[in-house]
Amino acid sequence: MKRYDLYAHRKYPIIIIIIICIFLIIVKLFIIQIIDKSYKLSAENNTIRKIIQYPERGWIYDRNNTLLVSNQRGHDIMISPYQVESQIDTSFFCEIFQISKSDFLRRIKQAKQYSYYKPSIFIKNIEKNKFADIQEYLYRFKGFFSQPRYIREYNTNSGGNIFGYTSLISYEELLNNKAYDRNDMIGVTGIEKVFETKLKGEKGVQRKIVDVFGKYQGDFQNGKYDTLPKKGQDIKITIDIILQEYAEKLMSNKRGSIVAIEPESGEILCLLSSPSYSPKMFIGKNRSKNFRDLFIHPGKPLYDRSTSALYPPGSIFKLLNALIGLQEKKINPEQLIKCNLGWNYKSRLNIGCHEHKSPLNLNQAIAQSCNAYFCETFIKIIQDSPSKNLDKWKNYIESFGLNQTFQNDLYNEKKGFIPNAKYYDNLYGKKRWGAPTCVSLAIGQDAILMTPIQMANLTATIANKGFYRIPHIVKQDSLVEKMKCLIDSNYFEPVIYGMVNAIEDQYGTAKLGVINDLEIGGKTGTAQNPHGSDHSVFIAFAPISKPKIAIAVFVENGGWGSEMAVPIGSLCIEKYLLKNIQRKKLEDRMIKTKINY
C-alpha cells in the first residue's frame, strides 16, 4: 500500500502565506503613506513646530457687571533640550531673561529630566510689554522659542480669597486629569478652582515651519491641520466689588472677616478675609516670591477666614436660645428675669454680666445683652432631661445651617461645631452632667464654633423670619431652594424688636450702629479668647421692613462687640444701601485703628 506523503504539497501553503504577508505589507504602506498623516507629521517634526494655542479663560464680572478679571496676552519661553547648543552664551541669556546662572542650569536639568526631545516650559508667564524687549534676541538661542499664552489680568486689588489663583498643573492633578498636559494652567483655589471646567476653555493647535535657527518661515500647509482655541465661559458673581473694597479698607491692620448676604436670594455681597492680598500678586515673575511671603506672613492672608475660620460666636448666639425658648414655650416676651450682675448656681458657678437695670424682659435682654436672662432661658430648655433635650436643642440649632457645610460653590468651607449629649457623655460620663454643666452654650461659648459665613446666614434667616437660601457666590438663573428652620415665623418678631432696640435704645449695646433714616436690627457679641484680648462680633440686617443686606463682622482681639465690630458693620451697611458715608469721623477712626497682634 502506497503511503501518503504529508510534505509533498507543503510548498502551496507556504506560497499562500507569503502572498498574504506581501498583501498586508502593501496595505500597511498604503495606509501610512496615503491615509494616515500622523507618520508624515512625525517625520517632519524637525522642521515643523506644533504650537499650542491656549484659550482665554472666562472673564469674571461682579453683580453690577463690573469687569473684575480678564486676560492679557503673554508668552512662555519653551525649550527643546536636544536643540540647545553646548556653547550657548549663558551670561547673555541670563541678562536678557533676568535670571541667575544657577537658576538657568537648574531649569535646563529639569527640562532634560522631563524629556530630551519634547518641548517644556522654561520661563512662564512673561507679560506682553516685557516680551517685546526680549523677542528680538530669542532667535540667537537655538532650542528656545516662545509660545503665546493668556495671563490673568485683574481690575481690582481686592478679593484674592474669592478669585483664588491659577498655576501650572501639579503631578498629582495631572494623574487625575487626562485632558491636561504638564504645561497647562489650572485653578488652584477660589472661583478659579471651583469653576475650572467652565473657565478653562479648549486648546487649539497651530503648526509652523521653522528653519535650523528656529525662526518661523510660515504656516504648515496653509494651516490645514490647525485648530482654533475656544474661549472659556464668562462668570457673573454675586459680589458687590465696591462693598468688598470698602470692607477691606475698614479692616486694614486688623484680622478677622466680614460676610454680607442678600437675605431674599442668598447671594453673597461681600466675602472678606483679613488680612487680605491682591490677586495681582499671583501674576508675573515675582509670583513665587509673593506666594512664599504670603505663606510665612504671621497674619496668614492665604487662610480664608470667611469660610474656614472657626470662632466662638459669643452673645450673638443668644438670639437662637431666645427663639428656641419661645418655640418650646419656656419663656414669653413679657416675662421678667432678674440679673444680679450675672447668673449664679448654688454659689458654685457664676457667669458674670455687665451692670444694667434688672429685671428685664426679652426685648431688654437682647438690647442690653444680659447673660443672666439667657442662662436662665437655656436652663429651662434643658433641665428636665438634659441628654434628650440637649439633642433636641441641637436639632433646632442645625436647622439654621450650623454644624454643616452649605455644599455650595464656595472653596474650602468648614462645618463648625455644635455639641450634643454624646459630647458631654464622653467628657464627663453618662448621667454625670446636667444643664448647669453646659450653661455657657446659652451665651455662645463652651464648645460652639461657627464660621463667619454661618454667622451671616444666621442673620439672614432671622431677617427672613425663619428661612434661608443656600449662600452662593455665582449668579443663578433662578432663586435657589428655601431652607426652613424649625422655629415658627411668629416667634421672630419679638427677637427682631430686641435687635432694633440694641441699635436705637439708649441702653442698647450697639448704639454706634445708628444710621439716620435707616432702621437696622443688630446684636453684639464679645467672644472670650484665652489667648489674648476678646474678639469683637456684630451681626445686623437692614432695612427691617424689607431686608436687603444681612452682615456678620468678626474682629479678632477687637474687644467689646460695640467697640470695633458695630462701627465697621454699620458703615458697611451704610455704604451698600446709601452709597455715601455720612459719618466721616467714625469711618476715619475705623480705617486708622490698628490692632497689634
Side-chain angles (χ1 to χ4, degrees), residues 496-566:
I496 292 173
Y497 181 47
M499 294 175 71
V500 171
N501 280 322
I503 302 278
E504 297 183 353
D505 189 81
Q506 61 175 324
Y507 300 112
T509 57
K511 289 182 293 185
L512 279 177
V514 172
I515 302 173
N516 292 335
D517 303 321
L518 190 61
E519 191 176 31
I520 303 174
K523 180 71 189 77
T524 57
T526 304
Q528 294 178 5
N529 175 26
H531 308 294
S533 300
D534 291 340
H535 304 310
S536 181
V537 194
F538 180 58
I539 61 173
F541 67 91
I544 294 297
S545 57
K546 192 174 181 181
K548 295 180 180 178
I549 181 172
I551 194 167
V553 180
F554 197 102
V555 183
E556 295 179 15
N557 306 115
W560 295 99
S562 58
E563 191 174 343
M564 292 294 299
V566 169

Side-chain angles (χ1 to χ4, degrees), residues 311-379:
Y311 296 118
S315 291
I316 65 170
F317 204 80
K318 293 173 181 176
L319 301 177
L320 282 172
N321 283 310
L323 289 166
I324 297 171
L326 291 169
Q327 179 74 29
E328 289 291 308
K329 295 181 171 51
K330 300 298 183 180
I331 59 171
N332 64 69
E334 291 76 32
Q335 182 179 351
L336 297 175
I337 295 178
K338 288 184 179 181
C339 176
N340 296 315
L341 295 179
W343 180 83
N344 298 283
Y345 177 70
K346 296 182 179 180
S347 301
R348 290 182 294 178
L349 177 63
N350 174 263
I351 294 180
C353 190
H354 60 280
E355 188 172 352
H356 57 75
K357 73 172 188 176
S358 175
L360 301 91
N361 60 24
L362 177 60
N363 165 43
Q364 295 166 326
I366 292 174
Q368 299 179 45
S369 197
C370 174
N371 285 343
Y373 185 99
F374 293 99
C375 287
E376 189 64 30
T377 298
F378 181 79
I379 292 293

Side-chain angles (χ1 to χ4, degrees), residues 376-584:
E376 189 64 30
T377 298
F378 181 79
I379 292 293
K380 290 179 178 180
I381 295 169
I382 302 299
Q383 65 182 355
D384 292 341
S385 178
S387 182
K388 177 183 176 182
N389 288 338
L390 186 64
D391 285 344
K392 186 177 182 181
W393 172 88
K394 179 173 179 280
N395 290 336
Y396 277 121
I397 299 297
E398 289 181 338
S399 72
F400 285 81
L402 276 61
N403 202 41
Q404 59 195 286
T405 59
F406 291 117
Q407 300 295 313
N408 53 8
D409 51 12
L410 294 174
Y411 173 73
N412 199 27
E413 188 186 0
K414 297 292 175 60
K415 63 180 289 186
F417 183 72
I418 301 295
N420 58 4
K422 185 178 179 181
Y423 172 83
Y424 291 102
D425 286 344
N426 292 335
L427 203 60
Y428 300 107
K430 287 187 177 182
K431 297 184 179 181
R432 296 179 63 87
W433 60 275
T437 311
C438 54
V439 71
S440 292
L441 298 176
I443 57 173
Q445 296 290 160
D446 202 294
I448 298 173
L449 293 172
M450 293 173 64
T451 61
I453 193 167
Q454 288 176 331
M455 297 178 192
N457 188 65
L458 164 62
T459 314
T461 308
I462 295 172
N464 290 331
K465 298 178 182 177
F467 76 88
Y468 67 91
R469 300 186 193 272
I470 298 293
H472 53 280
I473 203 166
V474 170
K475 277 280 190 179
Q476 306 292 316
D477 294 332
S478 59
L479 286 174
V480 299
E481 181 185 359
K482 278 185 181 181
M483 309 295 290
K484 293 184 178 180
C485 71
L486 297 177
I487 305 295
D488 295 339
S489 60
N490 57 295
Y491 292 120
F492 285 87
E493 285 291 351
V495 170
I496 292 173
Y497 181 47
M499 294 175 71
V500 171
N501 280 322
I503 302 278
E504 297 183 353
D505 189 81
Q506 61 175 324
Y507 300 112
T509 57
K511 289 182 293 185
L512 279 177
V514 172
I515 302 173
N516 292 335
D517 303 321
L518 190 61
E519 191 176 31
I520 303 174
K523 180 71 189 77
T524 57
T526 304
Q528 294 178 5
N529 175 26
H531 308 294
S533 300
D534 291 340
H535 304 310
S536 181
V537 194
F538 180 58
I539 61 173
F541 67 91
I544 294 297
S545 57
K546 192 174 181 181
K548 295 180 180 178
I549 181 172
I551 194 167
V553 180
F554 197 102
V555 183
E556 295 179 15
N557 306 115
W560 295 99
S562 58
E563 191 174 343
M564 292 294 299
V566 169
I568 290 173
S570 66
L571 284 167
C572 286
I573 291 174
E574 186 175 353
K575 183 70 173 179
Y576 181 70
L577 294 179
L578 304 182
K579 309 306 178 187
N580 296 312
I581 299 298
Q582 303 167 359
R583 301 169 295 166
K584 291 292 185 181

